[in-house]
Amino acid sequence: MSIYLALDQGTTSTRALKVAADGTASIVFSATHKQHFFGTDRVEHDPEELLANLRAALSAAGEVTAIGLSNQGESCLAWDAIDGRPLSPVIVWQDRRTAAQVAALSPVQAEIMALSGLPLSPYFSAAKLAWLLENNDDVKDARRAGRLMLGTTDAFFLQRLTGRAATDITTASRTALMNIATGQWDSRLCQIFGVPIECLPPILPTVGDFGAIKGTPLTASVVDQQAALYGHGCRVAGDTKITFGTGAFALSLTGSYPRLGGQNGLLPTVAWSIGGETSYATDGGVHAAGAAVDWAQRIGLLNDPAELNTFEAGPAIDRGLTFVPALAGLGSPHWDDSAAGLFIGMTGATTRQDMQQALIEGIALRASEIVAAMASDAPVTRISVDGGVSRSRYLCQFLADTTGCTVVIPGIDELTAYGTAQLAAFALGETLRTPQPSETITPAPCDRRSRLTRFSRAVDRARGWHAADAG
Ligand SMILES: O=P(O)(O)OC[C@H](O)CO
């Protein structure tokens, strides 16, 4: 029987899932890597550490039929085109060091949006790569010597593991350098950001020939969020998932054309390109979900995430207490890098549990804002969820109530890796089954409008906080 290996290289860990042709799956490797934080706005990874974890995952897996690779999206670096040596750390998607450079591009933001489909934000790779070109001497030297490669982590891993750098169209769609209509690097976008187009890797379809690792074909490469969308079994327009990982990322399939125009603060993105057909999705990100839970643990607000599973009191938001998880600014639909995390509504009677409840609700309320933005475009009735934070039963019920959608919890945990394995198998003509739901949560009646209105008043207060400090 064929066996497929998914390598899921994510923001906090590298995981390897082996999936047999009958759909049985087992994790064979998992390792976290160091998060290098500098100041309030910089987050880096060591590219060699990530690569070592991928190599360890490959050896733990043993022989397989084919391999799929999923990556952490916008995170990017520079490396030597000839020997593959990293010339910079990985600048992680959460890193906001380029906020000032990005703000300076506001006169051309409409053009950037029209070409890439994306708003101006330090989140995307383009400004990060430009920053490396301006600030890293090794990168400058390599450019002068004609040896410079710039790209997302997938392309670096592929160069080192298969000998050939390449990226896929889903990942390229997260850089702000790809033309969303053509699926190719755009010379005007490269010119605007100051990124030499000749230093970028070729863009390939999501499923196909990405070379081989020690003779085993690598047949799919994809952003982790898109892999999860596929793993959830989303196949037709309107199918929606939210992965509650470090951030919470909602993706809703839109069909065979991108929804352009930046409507509702959502991003048009490529879901996948398979067999000559490209599917698109809208994407909305909450940049701190699990990151907010980790923070709460670090400061002692929480001893264990299991404390977020049940609460005796009614919802904190209905009692006037809420939390805006803008620990790394606000993503969709607000796009405000100067927003700050905020608890509001405390009184002398507010307890530790109330604050915990507000914390988990704040993550769900941000996700609900995104679902509301998606629903204003096309109906969303059902949301499939995964990721560590979705283990909170309270979050899932609160999300169902606040969005009015049925929330589906799939029967397996590793949806990103499973979707990656499904894509790798597809290349060989094999269809791995869709995981069945383990639980379906129906929405209970509540005053949705008042919850969202109250939360949006809190969001207004969180917005611009750091900008006001600077002024
Ligand atoms: O690695 P994850 O699962 O935190 O996902 C990262 C996203 O793709 C960033 O946009």
Side-chain angles (χ1 to χ4, degrees):
M1 187 167 29
S2 312
I3 306 272
Y4 298 96
L5 175 68
L7 297 174
D8 172 14
Q9 203 306 294
T11 311
T12 52
S13 70
T14 302
R15 310 171 72 72
L17 184 79
K18 266 170 111 165
V19 185
D22 65 3
T24 48
S26 58
I27 279 282
V28 292
F29 179 85
S30 172
T32 55
H33 51 267
K34 196 155 174 12
Q35 308 289 320
H36 300 270
F37 293 107
F38 304 97
T40 55
D41 61 356
R42 295 189 182 198
V43 195
E44 296 178 355
H45 295 157
D46 172 358
E48 292 289 5
E49 184 185 7
L50 302 183
L51 195 62
N53 286 345
L54 285 170
R55 288 194 202 281
L58 282 161
S59 50
E63 276 200 19
V64 294
T65 312
I67 300 168
L69 173 69
S70 60
N71 70 75
Q72 46 175 292
E74 305 74 13
S75 305
C76 55
L77 72 159
W79 67 97
D80 186 297
I82 296 166
D83 61 20
R85 188 171 39 94
L87 300 171
S88 76
V90 172
I91 304 186
V92 180
W93 58 271
Q94 298 140 310
D95 188 294
R96 291 176 296 141
R97 75 183 66 182
T98 60
Q101 289 92 327
V102 164
L105 290 174
S106 57
V108 284
Q109 65 181 339
E111 193 180 2
I112 293 171
M113 168 77 77
L115 293 170
S116 69
L118 304 177
L120 254 185
S121 169
Y123 172 42
F124 306 108
S125 323
K128 298 180 196 308
L129 295 173
W131 188 93
L132 288 174
L133 279 157
E134 278 165 32
N135 294 283
N136 181 313
D137 288 341
D138 291 341
V139 173
K140 290 181 198 169
D141 289 348
R143 186 176 183 195
R144 273 191 291 271
R147 296 171 66 117
L148 179 62
M149 282 296 292
L150 295 167
T152 38
T153 54
D154 55 332
F156 166 72
F157 299 143
L158 287 174
Q159 168 143 7
R160 293 287 293 273
L161 294 171
T162 70
R164 193 182 76 191
T167 191
D168 95 295
I169 187 169
T170 66
T171 317
S173 79
R174 313 298 300 180
T175 59
L177 297 172
M178 190 191 90
N179 185 305
I180 189 75
T182 65
Q184 293 302 320
W185 300 126
D186 186 280
S187 55
R188 174 64 183 143
L189 287 169
C190 288
Q191 183 195 25
I192 289 173
F193 284 100
V195 173
I197 200 165
E198 65 278 7
C199 297
L200 299 170
I203 302 175
L204 302 182
T206 312
V207 166
D209 177 10
F210 287 88
I213 304 176
K214 293 187 180 150
T216 307
L218 203 145
T219 53
S221 185
V222 62
V223 176
D224 50 15
Q225 301 305 327
Q226 277 77 340
L229 185 70
Y230 201 85
H232 276 279
C234 297
R235 297 289 183 274
V236 298
D239 285 358
T240 303
K241 72 92 198 178
I242 307 180
T243 301
F244 289 91
T246 311
F249 293 94
L251 269 74
S252 186
L253 272 176
T254 52
S256 47
Y257 296 95
R259 290 266 162 82
L260 296 177
Q263 61 280 67
N264 314 330
L266 301 169
L267 310 177
T269 196
V270 178
W272 41 74
S273 170
I274 304 175
E277 298 214 347
T278 303
S279 298
Y280 296 85
T282 49
D283 161 294
V286 178
H287 290 179
V293 175
D294 291 348
W295 164 76
Q297 255 187 294
R298 271 202 310 279
I299 63 161
L301 175 58
L302 203 61
N303 296 324
D304 188 312
E307 289 170 275
L308 301 172
N309 288 345
T310 51
F311 294 95
E312 278 169 20
I317 183 86
D318 296 347
R319 295 182 281 127
L321 173 68
T322 196
F323 169 65
V324 181
L327 304 181
L330 283 168
S332 294
H334 309 290
W335 297 106
D336 183 351
D337 294 308
S338 62
L342 175 84
F343 274 102
I344 192 162
M346 291 79 80
T347 68
T350 301
T351 65
R352 187 166 183 265
Q353 276 86 357
D354 291 332
M355 302 290 275
Q356 294 172 346
Q357 195 168 1
L359 177 103
I360 194 75
E361 289 177 10
I363 296 167
L365 283 158
R366 281 284 294 118
S368 302
E369 286 189 312
I370 290 167
V371 173
M374 286 172 165
S376 70
D377 198 26
V380 179
T381 55
R382 193 180 144 97
I383 305 165
S384 200
V385 297
D386 70 305
V389 182
S390 71
R391 289 197 199 106
S392 162
R393 185 67 171 65
Y394 184 80
L395 173 122
C396 294
Q397 184 67 57
F398 184 90
L399 182 70
D401 301 349
T402 308
T403 58
C405 295
T406 301
V407 168
V408 177
I409 303 174
I412 64 169
D413 280 340
E414 301 286 342
L415 271 301
T416 298
Y418 192 82
T420 307
Q422 285 179 305
L423 289 164
F426 196 89
L428 275 66
E430 203 146 19
T431 303
L432 303 180
R433 66 181 160 82
T434 299
Q436 291 304 301
S438 73
E439 197 177 350
T440 299
I441 299 173
T442 50
C446 71
D447 190 344
R448 283 177 209 134
R449 184 189 290 252
S450 109
R451 276 187 193 173
L452 287 174
T453 305
R454 181 171 281 164
F455 185 67
S456 120
R457 283 171 50 215
V459 168
D460 285 346
R461 284 164 170 79
R463 292 189 65 163
W465 178 258
H466 292 304
D469 275 357

